[in-house]
Coordinates of all heavy atoms in Angstrom, one line a residue:
M1 N 18.8 -3.7 29.3 CA 18.0 -2.7 28.8 C 18.8 -1.8 27.9 O 19.9 -1.4 28.2 CB 17.6 -1.8 30.0 CG 16.3 -1.1 29.7 SD 15.8 0.1 31.0 CE 15.5 -1.0 32.4
K2 N 18.2 -1.5 26.7 CA 18.9 -0.7 25.7 C 18.7 0.8 26.0 O 17.5 1.2 26.2 CB 18.4 -1.1 24.3 CG 19.3 -0.7 23.2 CD 18.8 -1.3 21.9 CE 19.9 -1.2 20.9 NZ 19.5 -1.8 19.6
R3 N 19.7 1.6 26.0 CA 19.6 3.0 26.2 C 19.3 3.7 24.9 O 20.0 3.5 23.9 CB 20.9 3.5 26.8 CG 20.9 4.9 27.3 CD 22.1 5.3 27.9 NE 22.2 4.8 29.2 CZ 23.2 5.1 30.1 NH1 24.1 6.0 29.8 NH2 23.2 4.6 31.3
R4 N 18.3 4.5 24.9 CA 17.9 5.3 23.7 C 18.9 6.5 23.5 O 19.3 7.1 24.5 CB 16.5 5.8 23.8 CG 15.5 4.8 23.4 CD 14.1 5.3 23.4 NE 14.0 6.7 22.9 CZ 12.9 7.3 22.8 NH1 11.8 6.7 23.1 NH2 12.8 8.6 22.3
K5 N 19.2 6.8 22.3 CA 20.0 7.9 22.0 C 19.2 9.2 22.3 O 18.1 9.3 21.9 CB 20.5 7.9 20.5 CG 21.5 8.9 20.2 CD 21.9 8.8 18.7 CE 22.8 9.9 18.4 NZ 23.2 9.9 16.9
K6 N 19.9 10.2 22.9 CA 19.2 11.4 23.2 C 18.9 12.2 21.9 O 19.8 12.4 21.1 CB 20.1 12.2 24.2 CG 19.5 13.5 24.6 CD 20.5 14.3 25.5 CE 19.9 15.7 25.8 NZ 20.8 16.7 25.3
E7 N 17.7 12.7 21.8 CA 17.3 13.5 20.7 C 18.0 14.9 20.8 O 18.1 15.5 21.9 CB 15.8 13.7 20.6 CG 15.0 12.5 20.3 CD 15.1 12.2 18.8 OE1 15.1 13.1 18.0 OE2 15.3 11.0 18.5
P8 N 18.5 15.4 19.7 CA 19.1 16.8 19.7 C 18.0 17.8 20.1 O 16.9 17.7 19.6 CB 19.6 17.0 18.3 CG 19.1 16.0 17.5 CD 18.6 14.9 18.3
E9 N 18.4 18.7 21.0 CA 17.4 19.8 21.4 C 17.7 21.1 20.8 O 16.7 21.9 20.7 CB 17.5 19.9 22.9 CG 17.1 18.7 23.7 CD 17.3 18.8 25.2 OE1 17.9 19.8 25.6 OE2 16.9 17.9 25.9
N10 N 18.9 21.4 20.3 CA 19.2 22.6 19.7 C 20.0 22.4 18.4 O 20.4 21.3 18.2 CB 19.9 23.6 20.6 CG 21.2 23.1 21.0 OD1 22.1 22.7 20.2 ND2 21.5 23.2 22.3
L11 N 20.1 23.4 17.6 CA 20.7 23.2 16.2 C 22.1 22.8 16.3 O 22.6 22.1 15.5 CB 20.5 24.5 15.4 CG 20.8 24.5 14.0 CD1 20.0 23.4 13.3 CD2 20.6 25.8 13.3
C12 N 22.8 23.2 17.4 CA 24.2 22.9 17.6 C 24.4 21.3 17.8 O 25.4 20.8 17.4 CB 24.8 23.6 18.7 SG 26.5 23.8 18.8
E13 N 23.4 20.7 18.3 CA 23.5 19.2 18.6 C 23.1 18.4 17.4 O 23.3 17.2 17.4 CB 22.6 18.9 19.8 CG 23.0 19.5 21.1 CD 22.0 19.3 22.2 OE1 21.0 18.8 22.0 OE2 22.4 19.7 23.3
L14 N 22.5 18.9 16.4 CA 22.1 18.2 15.2 C 23.3 17.9 14.3 O 24.1 18.8 14.1 CB 21.0 19.0 14.4 CG 20.3 18.3 13.3 CD1 19.4 17.2 13.9 CD2 19.4 19.4 12.6
G15 N 23.4 16.7 13.9 CA 24.6 16.3 13.1 C 24.5 16.7 11.6 O 23.4 17.1 11.2
V16 N 25.6 16.5 10.9 CA 25.6 16.9 9.5 C 24.6 16.0 8.8 O 24.6 14.8 9.0 CB 27.1 16.7 8.9 CG1 27.1 16.8 7.4 CG2 28.0 17.6 9.6
G17 N 23.8 16.6 7.9 CA 22.8 15.8 7.2 C 21.5 15.8 7.9 O 20.5 15.3 7.4
G18 N 21.5 16.2 9.2 CA 20.3 16.2 9.9 C 19.3 17.3 9.5 O 19.7 18.4 9.2
R19 N 18.0 16.9 9.6 CA 16.9 17.9 9.2 C 16.1 18.1 10.5 O 15.8 17.1 11.2 CB 16.1 17.4 8.1 CG 16.8 17.4 6.8 CD 16.0 16.7 5.6 NE 14.5 16.9 5.7 CZ 13.8 17.8 5.0 NH1 14.4 18.6 4.3 NH2 12.5 17.9 5.2
A20 N 15.6 19.3 10.6 CA 14.8 19.6 11.8 C 13.9 20.8 11.5 O 14.1 21.6 10.6 CB 15.7 19.9 13.0
V21 N 12.9 20.9 12.4 CA 12.0 22.1 12.3 C 12.3 22.9 13.5 O 12.5 22.4 14.7 CB 10.5 21.6 12.4 CG1 9.6 22.8 12.5 CG2 10.1 20.8 11.3
V22 N 12.5 24.2 13.3 CA 12.7 25.2 14.4 C 11.5 25.3 15.2 O 10.4 25.5 14.7 CB 13.1 26.6 13.8 CG1 13.3 27.6 15.0 CG2 14.4 26.4 13.0
T23 N 11.6 25.1 16.6 CA 10.5 25.2 17.5 C 10.5 26.5 18.3 O 9.4 27.0 18.7 CB 10.4 24.0 18.4 OG1 11.6 23.9 19.2 CG2 10.2 22.7 17.7
E24 N 11.7 27.0 18.6 CA 11.8 28.2 19.4 C 13.1 28.9 19.2 O 14.1 28.2 19.0 CB 11.6 27.8 20.9 CG 11.7 28.8 21.9 CD 11.7 28.3 23.3 OE1 11.5 27.1 23.5 OE2 11.8 29.1 24.2
I25 N 13.1 30.2 19.4 CA 14.4 30.9 19.4 C 14.5 31.5 20.8 O 13.7 32.3 21.2 CB 14.4 32.1 18.4 CG1 14.0 31.6 17.0 CG2 15.7 32.8 18.4 CD1 14.9 30.7 16.3
R26 N 15.6 31.1 21.5 CA 15.8 31.5 22.9 C 16.6 32.8 23.0 O 16.7 33.3 24.1 CB 16.4 30.3 23.6 CG 15.5 29.1 23.8 CD 15.7 28.4 25.0 NE 14.7 27.4 25.2 CZ 14.9 26.3 25.8 NH1 16.1 26.0 26.3 NH2 13.9 25.4 26.0
S27 N 17.1 33.3 21.9 CA 17.8 34.6 22.0 C 16.7 35.7 22.2 O 15.5 35.5 22.1 CB 18.5 34.9 20.7 OG 19.4 33.9 20.4
S28 N 17.2 36.9 22.5 CA 16.3 38.0 22.7 C 17.0 39.2 22.1 O 18.1 39.2 21.7 CB 16.1 38.3 24.2 OG 17.3 38.5 24.9
G29 N 16.2 40.3 22.0 CA 16.7 41.5 21.5 C 17.2 41.5 20.0 O 16.6 40.9 19.2
A30 N 18.4 42.1 19.8 CA 18.9 42.2 18.5 C 19.3 40.9 17.9 O 19.1 40.7 16.7 CB 20.2 43.1 18.6
M31 N 19.7 39.9 18.7 CA 20.1 38.6 18.1 C 18.8 37.9 17.6 O 18.9 37.3 16.5 CB 20.8 37.8 19.2 CG 21.1 36.4 18.7 SD 22.2 36.4 17.2 CE 23.7 37.0 17.9
K32 N 17.8 37.9 18.3 CA 16.5 37.3 17.9 C 16.0 38.0 16.6 O 15.6 37.3 15.7 CB 15.5 37.4 19.0 CG 14.2 36.6 18.7 CD 13.3 36.5 19.9 CE 12.2 35.5 19.6 NZ 11.4 35.2 20.8
R33 N 16.1 39.3 16.5 CA 15.7 40.0 15.4 C 16.6 39.7 14.2 O 16.1 39.5 13.0 CB 15.7 41.5 15.6 CG 15.0 42.4 14.7 CD 14.8 43.8 15.2 NE 15.8 44.4 16.0 CZ 15.8 44.5 17.3 NH1 14.7 44.1 18.0 NH2 16.8 45.0 18.0
R34 N 17.9 39.5 14.4 CA 18.8 39.2 13.3 C 18.5 37.8 12.8 O 18.5 37.6 11.5 CB 20.2 39.2 13.8 CG 21.3 38.9 12.8 CD 22.7 39.1 13.4 NE 23.7 38.6 12.5 CZ 24.2 37.4 12.6 NH1 23.9 36.6 13.5 NH2 25.1 37.1 11.7
L35 N 18.3 36.8 13.6 CA 17.9 35.5 13.2 C 16.6 35.5 12.4 O 16.5 34.8 11.4 CB 17.9 34.5 14.4 CG 19.2 34.2 15.1 CD1 18.9 33.4 16.4 CD2 20.1 33.5 14.2
A36 N 15.6 36.2 12.9 CA 14.3 36.3 12.2 C 14.5 36.9 10.8 O 14.0 36.5 9.8 CB 13.3 37.1 13.0
D37 N 15.4 38.0 10.7 CA 15.7 38.6 9.4 C 16.3 37.6 8.4 O 16.2 37.8 7.2 CB 16.6 39.8 9.6 CG 15.9 41.0 10.2 OD1 14.6 41.0 10.3 OD2 16.6 41.9 10.7
M38 N 17.1 36.6 8.9 CA 17.7 35.6 8.1 C 16.7 34.5 7.7 O 17.1 33.6 7.0 CB 19.0 35.1 8.8 CG 20.1 36.1 8.9 SD 21.6 35.4 9.5 CE 21.2 35.1 11.2
G39 N 15.5 34.5 8.3 CA 14.5 33.5 7.9 C 14.4 32.4 8.9 O 13.7 31.4 8.7
I40 N 15.1 32.5 10.0 CA 15.0 31.5 11.1 C 13.9 31.8 12.0 O 14.1 32.6 12.9 CB 16.4 31.3 11.8 CG1 17.5 31.0 10.8 CG2 16.3 30.2 12.9 CD1 18.9 31.0 11.3
L41 N 12.8 31.2 11.8 CA 11.6 31.4 12.6 C 11.0 30.1 13.0 O 11.2 29.1 12.3 CB 10.5 32.2 11.7 CG 10.9 33.6 11.3 CD1 10.0 34.0 10.2 CD2 11.0 34.5 12.4
P42 N 10.2 30.0 14.0 CA 9.5 28.7 14.4 C 8.7 28.2 13.2 O 8.0 29.0 12.5 CB 8.6 29.1 15.5 CG 9.3 30.3 16.2 CD 9.9 31.0 15.0
G43 N 8.9 26.9 12.9 CA 8.2 26.3 11.8 C 9.1 26.1 10.6 O 8.7 25.4 9.7
T44 N 10.2 26.8 10.6 CA 11.2 26.7 9.4 C 11.9 25.4 9.5 O 12.4 24.9 10.5 CB 12.2 27.8 9.5 OG1 11.5 29.1 9.5 CG2 13.1 27.8 8.3
V45 N 12.0 24.7 8.3 CA 12.8 23.5 8.2 C 14.2 23.8 7.9 O 14.5 24.6 6.9 CB 12.2 22.5 7.1 CG1 13.1 21.3 6.9 CG2 10.8 22.1 7.4
V46 N 15.2 23.3 8.6 CA 16.6 23.5 8.4 C 17.3 22.2 8.2 O 16.9 21.2 8.7 CB 17.2 24.4 9.5 CG1 16.6 25.7 9.7 CG2 17.1 23.6 10.9
C47 N 18.4 22.2 7.5 CA 19.3 21.1 7.3 C 20.7 21.4 7.5 O 21.2 22.4 6.9 CB 19.0 20.5 5.9 SG 20.0 19.1 5.5
V48 N 21.4 20.7 8.3 CA 22.9 21.0 8.6 C 23.6 20.4 7.4 O 23.6 19.2 7.1 CB 23.3 20.3 9.9 CG1 24.8 20.6 10.1 CG2 22.6 20.9 11.0
Q49 N 24.4 21.3 6.7 CA 25.2 20.9 5.5 C 26.6 20.5 5.9 O 27.1 19.5 5.5 CB 25.2 22.0 4.5 CG 23.8 22.4 3.9 CD 23.2 21.3 3.2 OE1 23.9 20.6 2.4 NE2 21.9 21.0 3.4
K50 N 27.2 21.4 6.7 CA 28.6 21.2 7.1 C 28.8 21.7 8.5 O 28.1 22.6 9.0 CB 29.6 22.0 6.2 CG 29.6 21.5 4.8 CD 30.6 22.4 4.0 CE 30.5 22.0 2.5 NZ 31.3 22.9 1.7
M51 N 29.8 21.2 9.2 CA 30.1 21.7 10.6 C 31.6 21.7 10.7 O 32.3 20.7 10.3 CB 29.5 20.7 11.6 CG 29.5 21.2 13.0 SD 28.6 20.2 14.1 CE 26.9 20.5 13.7
A52 N 32.2 22.8 11.2 CA 33.6 22.8 11.4 C 34.0 21.8 12.5 O 33.2 21.3 13.3 CB 34.0 24.2 11.9
P53 N 35.3 21.4 12.5 CA 35.7 20.3 13.4 C 35.4 20.6 14.9 O 35.0 19.7 15.6 CB 37.2 20.3 13.2 CG 37.4 20.8 11.8 CD 36.4 21.8 11.6
L54 N 35.4 21.8 15.3 CA 35.1 22.1 16.7 C 33.6 22.6 16.9 O 33.2 23.1 17.9 CB 36.0 23.2 17.3 CG 37.5 22.7 17.3 CD1 38.4 23.8 17.8 CD2 37.7 21.5 18.2
G55 N 32.8 22.5 15.8 CA 31.4 22.8 15.9 C 31.1 24.2 15.7 O 29.9 24.7 15.9
D56 N 32.0 25.0 15.2 CA 31.8 26.5 15.1 C 32.6 27.0 13.9 O 33.8 26.9 14.0 CB 32.2 27.2 16.3 CG 31.7 28.6 16.4 OD1 31.0 29.1 15.5 OD2 32.0 29.3 17.4
P57 N 32.0 27.4 12.8 CA 30.6 27.6 12.5 C 29.9 26.4 12.0 O 30.5 25.4 11.7 CB 30.7 28.7 11.4 CG 31.9 28.5 10.7 CD 32.9 27.9 11.7
I58 N 28.6 26.6 11.8 CA 27.8 25.5 11.2 C 27.1 26.1 10.0 O 26.6 27.2 10.0 CB 26.7 25.2 12.2 CG1 27.3 24.6 13.5 CG2 25.7 24.2 11.6 CD1 26.3 24.4 14.6
Q59 N 27.2 25.3 8.9 CA 26.5 25.7 7.6 C 25.2 25.0 7.5 O 25.1 23.8 7.6 CB 27.4 25.4 6.4 CG 26.8 25.8 5.1 CD 27.6 25.4 3.9 OE1 28.8 25.2 4.1 NE2 27.0 25.4 2.8
I60 N 24.1 25.8 7.4 CA 22.8 25.2 7.3 C 22.1 25.6 6.0 O 22.6 26.7 5.4 CB 21.9 25.6 8.5 CG1 21.7 27.1 8.5 CG2 22.4 25.0 9.8 CD1 20.6 27.5 9.5
S61 N 21.1 24.9 5.5 CA 20.3 25.4 4.4 C 18.9 25.5 4.9 O 18.4 24.7 5.7 CB 20.4 24.4 3.2 OG 19.9 23.1 3.6
L62 N 18.3 26.6 4.4 CA 16.9 26.8 4.8 C 16.3 27.7 3.7 O 17.0 28.6 3.1 CB 16.7 27.5 6.1 CG 17.2 28.9 6.3 CD1 16.4 29.6 7.3 CD2 18.7 28.9 6.7
R63 N 15.0 27.5 3.4 CA 14.3 28.4 2.5 C 15.0 28.6 1.1 O 15.0 29.7 0.6 CB 14.0 29.8 3.1 CG 13.2 29.6 4.4 CD 12.9 31.0 5.0 NE 12.2 30.8 6.3 CZ 10.9 31.0 6.5 NH1 10.1 31.3 5.5 NH2 10.4 30.9 7.7
G64 N 15.8 27.6 0.7 CA 16.5 27.7 -0.6 C 17.8 28.4 -0.6 O 18.3 28.7 -1.7
Y65 N 18.4 28.7 0.5 CA 19.8 29.3 0.6 C 20.6 28.7 1.7 O 20.1 28.0 2.6 CB 19.7 30.8 0.6 CG 19.2 31.4 1.9 CD1 20.1 31.7 2.9 CD2 17.8 31.5 2.2 CE1 19.6 32.3 4.1 CE2 17.4 32.0 3.4 CZ 18.3 32.4 4.3 OH 17.8 32.9 5.5
E66 N 21.9 28.9 1.6 CA 22.9 28.5 2.6 C 23.2 29.6 3.6 O 23.2 30.8 3.2 CB 24.1 28.0 1.9 CG 24.0 27.0 0.8 CD 23.7 25.6 1.3 OE1 24.3 25.2 2.3 OE2 22.8 24.9 0.8
L67 N 23.5 29.2 4.8 CA 23.7 30.2 5.9 C 24.8 29.6 6.8 O 24.7 28.5 7.2 CB 22.4 30.5 6.6 CG 22.4 31.5 7.7 CD1 22.8 32.9 7.2 CD2 21.1 31.5 8.4
L68 N 25.7 30.5 7.3 CA 26.7 30.1 8.3 C 26.2 30.7 9.6 O 25.9 31.9 9.7 CB 28.1 30.6 8.0 CG 28.8 29.8 6.9 CD1 30.1 30.5 6.5 CD2 29.1 28.4 7.3
L69 N 26.3 29.9 10.7 CA 25.9 30.4 12.0 C 27.0 30.1 13.0 O 27.7 29.1 12.9 CB 24.7 29.7 12.6 CG 23.3 30.0 11.9 CD1 22.3 29.0 12.5 CD2 22.9 31.4 12.0
R70 N 27.2 31.0 13.9 CA 28.2 30.7 15.0 C 27.6 29.6 15.9 O 26.3 29.5 16.0 CB 28.4 32.0 15.9 CG 29.1 33.1 15.1 CD 29.2 34.3 16.1 NE 29.7 35.4 15.4 CZ 29.0 36.5 15.1 NH1 27.8 36.6 15.4 NH2 29.5 37.5 14.4
G71 N 28.4 28.9 16.6 CA 27.9 27.9 17.6 C 27.0 28.5 18.7 O 26.0 27.9 19.0
S72 N 27.4 29.7 19.1 CA 26.6 30.4 20.2 C 25.2 30.7 19.6 O 24.2 30.6 20.4 CB 27.3 31.6 20.7 OG 27.5 32.5 19.6
E73 N 25.1 31.0 18.4 CA 23.8 31.3 17.8 C 23.0 30.0 17.6 O 21.8 30.0 17.9 CB 23.9 32.0 16.4 CG 24.6 33.3 16.5 CD 25.0 33.8 15.1 OE1 25.2 33.0 14.2 OE2 25.2 35.1 15.0
A74 N 23.6 29.0 17.2 CA 23.0 27.7 16.9 C 22.4 27.1 18.2 O 21.4 26.4 18.2 CB 23.9 26.7 16.3
R75 N 23.1 27.3 19.3 CA 22.6 26.8 20.6 C 21.3 27.5 21.1 O 20.6 26.9 21.9 CB 23.7 27.0 21.7 CG 24.8 25.9 21.7 CD 25.7 26.0 22.8 NE 26.7 27.0 22.7 CZ 27.8 26.9 21.9 NH1 28.0 25.8 21.2 NH2 28.7 27.9 21.8
E76 N 21.0 28.6 20.6 CA 19.8 29.4 21.0 C 18.6 29.0 20.1 O 17.5 29.4 20.3 CB 20.1 30.9 20.8 CG 21.2 31.4 21.7 CD 20.9 31.3 23.2 OE1 19.7 31.6 23.6 OE2 21.7 30.9 24.0
I77 N 18.8 28.1 19.1 CA 17.8 27.7 18.2 C 17.3 26.3 18.5 O 18.0 25.3 18.3 CB 18.3 27.8 16.7 CG1 18.7 29.2 16.3 CG2 17.2 27.3 15.8 CD1 19.5 29.3 15.0
M78 N 16.1 26.2 19.1 CA 15.6 24.9 19.6 C 14.9 24.3 18.4 O 14.3 24.9 17.6 CB 14.6 25.2 20.8 CG 15.2 26.0 21.9 SD 16.9 25.4 22.4 CE 16.5 23.9 23.2
I79 N 15.0 22.9 18.3 CA 14.6 22.2 17.2 C 13.8 20.9 17.5 O 13.9 20.5 18.7 CB 15.7 21.8 16.3 CG1 16.7 20.9 17.1 CG2 16.4 23.0 15.6 CD1 17.7 20.1 16.2
R80 N 13.1 20.4 16.5 CA 12.5 19.1 16.6 C 12.9 18.3 15.4 O 12.6 18.7 14.3 CB 10.9 19.2 16.6 CG 10.3 17.8 16.8 CD 8.8 17.9 16.7 NE 8.4 18.1 15.3 CZ 7.8 19.2 14.8 NH1 7.4 20.2 15.6 NH2 7.4 19.3 13.5
P81 N 13.8 17.3 15.6 CA 14.3 16.6 14.4 C 13.2 15.9 13.6 O 12.2 15.5 14.1 CB 15.2 15.5 15.0 CG 15.5 16.0 16.4 CD 14.3 16.8 16.8
I82 N 13.4 15.8 12.2 CA 12.5 15.1 11.3 C 13.3 14.2 10.5 O 14.5 14.3 10.3 CB 11.7 16.1 10.5 CG1 12.6 17.1 9.7 CG2 10.7 16.9 11.3 CD1 11.9 18.0 8.7
A83 N 12.7 13.2 9.9 CA 13.3 12.2 9.1 C 13.8 12.7 7.8 O 13.4 13.6 7.3 CB 12.4 11.0 8.9

């Protein structure tokens, strides 16, 4: 039996070059507001451009600009990968 590769569930698990749609922001309060101010909202398409060797920070592109996120922030952004 062939084991299927686990789909990434949050932005931190998406590899370099991966594209996904944001489905949910699990942060609350000021952090959720900060992410929304940067344009990270459910339905937004994001693409991982670069990732530091230890996974922190992560450079993503969305809405025509580049953005760096901490690993802790990226783990709070739930995604659905797209081709």
